[in-house]
Amino acid sequence: MTTAATPTSAVALRVGLAALAALAVNTGIALLASLLDAGGLGIGLSPVAYLPATVAGVLVGTVGWTLIARRAPKALRVVVPSVLVLTWVPDLLLLTAGATAANVVGLMLMHLVVTSAVVTAMRPARD
């Protein structure tokens, strides 16, 4: 059984749709976290911060996925969750800067959304 390579246009469409979905979900998370962050710093919860970061995260994740999938596809099972946890470290450090738990949890959820979007867009389709 052979598998055909996915056409670049199909991958680009999936990544674009994943980015749009991530933007929409992250907007909802940011709005909710902002409501729960009353009087907090609100770090990363404004659209000017999270919208470009979401797109950049999807694009960087896509490039990373592509590079790893070509060389060591089984490594994705370890690399993806490891990178997600690493992205949470700066979020948690914001607690020392005075950010509220709502702010930090919101950012952590936003990273999870971006990761999920990339995995959904890049995971090979199963017959």
Side-chain angles (χ1 to χ4, degrees), residues 14-82:
R14 289 196 327 244
V15 170
L17 291 173
L20 287 174
L23 288 167
V25 173
N26 279 351
T27 297
I29 291 170
L31 290 172
L32 180 60
S34 294
L35 288 174
L36 298 173
D37 188 48
L41 301 174
I43 297 171
L45 299 178
S46 66
V48 71
Y50 72 81
L51 291 175
T54 298
V55 172
V58 169
L59 294 176
V60 169
T62 299
V63 170
W65 179 287
T66 302
L67 293 174
I68 294 167
R70 285 184 185 160
R71 289 167 179 76
K74 291 183 180 180
L76 289 166
R77 293 181 181 193
V78 174
V79 172
V80 172
S82 298

Side-chain angles (χ1 to χ4, degrees), residues 73-91:
K74 291 183 180 180
L76 289 166
R77 293 181 181 193
V78 174
V79 172
V80 172
S82 298
V83 170
L84 174 61
V85 169
L86 287 174
T87 68
W88 288 342
V89 172
D91 297 340

